[in-house]
């Protein structure tokens, strides 16, 4: 797949500074998903609030062990704010199950607004 000029520029910049291929691939992956998450808007048009929301969602997924499809199916009603737990429906397991929300995410006052 052809990369955009923006992503090629980032890739060239990182290779010129001797970043490892795996690091460059990881950065490109997350930058691309950030752009797709914001309906293909250029990052220069986005502010700190958009970055914070994206990072909180990524932190929720990573810190709570959510798979991508589990995160996409997550509903507001599936989250128990009192016990900092979430209900996962149609996950890899056959039955619905509850898992804990990452403590790092729960410390943010505005993490509920992301969901």
């Amino acid at each position: 797949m052809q990369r955009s000029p923006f992503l090629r520029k980032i890739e060239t910049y990182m290779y010129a500074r001797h970043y490892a291929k795996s690091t460059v691939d990881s950065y490109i992956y997350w930058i691309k998903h950030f752009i797709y998450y914001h309906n293909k808007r250029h990052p220069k048009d986005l502010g700190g609030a958009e970055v914070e929301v994206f990072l909180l969602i990524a932190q929720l997924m990573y810190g709570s062990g959510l798979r991508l499809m589990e995160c996409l199916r997550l509903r507001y009603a599936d989250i128990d704010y009192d016990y900092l737990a979430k209900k996962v429906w149609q996950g890899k397991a056959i039955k619905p199950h509850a898992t804990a929300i990452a403590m790092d995410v729960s410390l943010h006052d505005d993490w509920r607004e992301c969901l």
Side-chain angles (χ1 to χ4, degrees):
M1 184 172 152
Q2 187 76 4
R3 288 207 173 133
S4 72
F6 174 71
L7 293 176
R8 281 196 313 264
K9 185 176 180 179
I10 292 171
E11 188 176 50
T12 303
Y13 176 88
M14 293 180 77
Y15 280 132
R17 281 150 186 79
H18 306 289
Y19 282 82
K21 182 182 180 330
S22 60
T23 303
V24 174
D25 290 343
S26 180
Y27 272 68
I28 297 296
Y29 173 87
W30 283 105
I31 291 168
K32 190 184 334 179
H33 279 73
F34 176 76
I35 293 168
Y36 284 140
Y37 179 79
H38 292 290
N39 297 321
K40 297 185 179 181
R41 290 171 49 204
H42 196 282
K44 71 178 180 183
D45 299 332
L46 302 170
E50 288 90 352
V51 173
E52 188 172 341
V53 167
F54 183 78
L55 290 177
L56 280 173
I57 292 171
Q59 188 177 16
L60 173 69
M61 287 177 60
Y62 179 77
S64 300
L66 281 174
R67 293 175 180 84
L68 178 61
M69 289 309 296
E70 291 172 351
C71 187
L72 293 175
R73 292 181 184 130
L74 189 64
R75 300 172 302 167
Y76 187 80
D78 294 335
I79 299 173
D80 186 342
Y81 297 104
D82 296 329
Y83 293 103
L84 295 176
K86 63 193 173 315
K87 187 86 166 179
V88 177
W89 302 90
Q90 300 173 344
K92 191 172 180 181
I94 302 297
K95 296 187 258 181
H97 59 280
T99 59
I101 294 174
M103 288 304 295
D104 295 352
V105 176
S106 65
L107 295 176
H108 292 282
D109 293 333
D110 56 352
W111 72 280
R112 292 181 194 185
E113 295 174 17
C114 296
L115 303 173

